[in-house]
Amino acid sequence: MTATTTATAAPSVPAAPKSGAPVEDGTAGLVRPRPQVGRPRRRAYALTVRALGPVALLALWWGSSVTGLLTPDVLASPAQVVDAVGELWGNGQLPDALATSLTRSGTGLVIGLAAGLTLGITTGFTRLGDELLDSSLQTLRTIPFLSLVPLFMVWFGINETAKILLIAVATTFPMYVSTTGGVRNTDRKLVEAMRSFGLGRVAIVRQVVLPGALPSLLAGLRLSMTLSVIALIAAEEINATEGIGYLMSQAQSYARTDILAVCILVYGLLGLTADILVRGLERALMPWRTAGPGGGSR
């Protein structure tokens, strides 16, 4: 028998394109992505932009007072408000009232933050705490804290206890909601890994859960500090005999719009100061969040 050999044809290899000829690889018409890298803004520029709004409002206020659109019986002029600040500071009324209001707000805020943090960790980290407490706390959260003013006056009278507890109730629930959400969003695999290394519940909460929930905790702190100022205004309407609210009630009795404007500005500055403090805390604890969506610093 004669052996026949069958020649197998080698696969044809496409010829290399000539130099300069386009390569048909399916990418024709596509554009190379160029990620946008935001240029960091100078701090002076950012501060200038932030100041434009308040300066515009001040200029509008001053212009309306000069032209007579705003009469002193409606709203005092900026110059009269500055004179009122000097008067109140000189006779010691403003420093004393400010110290009293800060003490009330700070004490109520500390109580509210402690209660909200404790309840949030309990309901967010344990199933039993969630089943026992969350539904009741969510129901209480929907009750406006201003509606509790008459009840607190009946329970605690018109002393400092009613005012401080009203601020504490107002600041508890923002911290509770933020803490619960942050704790529940903690990586469960990381928690189980720490348990396998022998860490107890308290150590896991301190070393794993709370650091992981830090963004939510700071958000709750920010909301609670803002609400503490709002609740302070309501609390100082409960027959106060000292504090910024007392100055407002006295100024209302004598139609002193300049002192009323001073008290309103003090409340606004307290809220702004609280917001600046929390922002500074965020920059210190979470420096990676200081950049905005465009890549520039906030």
Side-chain angles (χ1 to χ4, degrees):
M1 180 180 296
T2 305
T4 59
T5 59
T6 303
T8 59
S12 59
V13 179
K18 296 181 179 180
S19 176
V23 180
E24 298 294 337
D25 58 351
T27 61
L30 298 181
V31 179
R32 182 183 297 275
R34 295 181 180 180
Q36 295 182 356
V37 180
R39 292 177 299 176
R41 293 182 178 181
R42 294 182 179 180
R43 186 169 183 82
Y45 174 79
L47 292 176
T48 302
V49 173
R50 289 180 183 273
L52 287 179
V55 169
L57 288 176
L58 182 61
L60 181 62
W61 180 15
W62 178 82
S64 300
S65 300
V66 170
T67 57
L69 293 177
L70 281 178
T71 56
D73 59 330
V74 175
L75 182 62
S77 65
Q80 292 173 324
V81 172
V82 173
D83 292 338
V85 171
E87 175 189 345
L88 294 174
W89 195 271
N91 58 26
Q93 285 183 288
L94 187 57
D96 293 341
L98 190 59
T100 301
S101 296
L102 286 176
T103 302
R104 289 171 180 158
S105 180
T107 305
L109 178 63
V110 170
I111 296 173
L113 291 178
L117 185 64
T118 303
L119 293 171
I121 293 175
T122 303
T123 58
F125 191 65
T126 64
R127 183 177 301 176
L128 180 60
D130 181 36
E131 294 171 350
L132 284 177
L133 299 175
D134 187 65
S135 58
S136 300
L137 290 172
Q138 294 295 343
T139 302
L140 294 174
R141 185 174 66 89
T142 60
I143 300 175
F145 69 89
L146 291 177
S147 64
L148 300 176
V149 172
L151 189 60
F152 278 20
M153 291 179 65
V154 172
W155 286 352
F156 307 108
I158 58 175
N159 54 16
E160 291 297 307
T161 303
K163 300 177 180 62
I164 291 175
L165 288 181
L166 184 66
I167 298 172
V169 170
T171 55
T172 294
F173 294 108
M175 194 65 187
Y176 166 74
V177 173
S178 299
T179 303
T180 302
V183 170
R184 287 175 178 173
N185 290 332
T186 305
D187 190 355
R188 293 298 171 184
K189 294 182 180 179
L190 183 59
V191 173
E192 293 300 328
M194 293 300 101
R195 282 176 177 167
S196 65
F197 281 107
L199 287 182
R201 284 194 172 186
V202 176
I204 290 176
V205 169
R206 187 178 66 251
Q207 301 179 20
V208 179
V209 174
L210 290 182
L214 187 59
S216 298
L217 296 180
L218 291 177
L221 175 62
R222 191 172 184 177
L223 289 173
S224 294
M225 292 185 73
T226 304
L227 267 179
S228 68
V229 179
I230 299 175
L232 174 66
I233 300 174
E236 291 190 332
E237 297 298 323
I238 308 177
N239 293 334
T241 57
E242 52 185 350
I244 302 297
Y246 175 69
L247 283 182
M248 289 190 72
S249 62
Q250 293 297 307
Q252 180 185 2
S253 301
Y254 294 100
R256 292 287 304 270
T257 58
D258 51 350
I259 297 180
L260 287 173
V262 170
C263 296
I264 293 172
L265 290 175
V266 167
Y267 280 131
L269 289 176
L270 288 178
L272 179 62
T273 303
D275 189 75
I276 292 174
L277 289 176
V278 178
R279 283 174 178 254
L281 198 59
E282 287 179 350
R283 291 190 181 97
L285 298 178
M286 299 183 299
W288 62 88
R289 296 190 65 185
T290 57
S297 58
R298 289 189 293 180

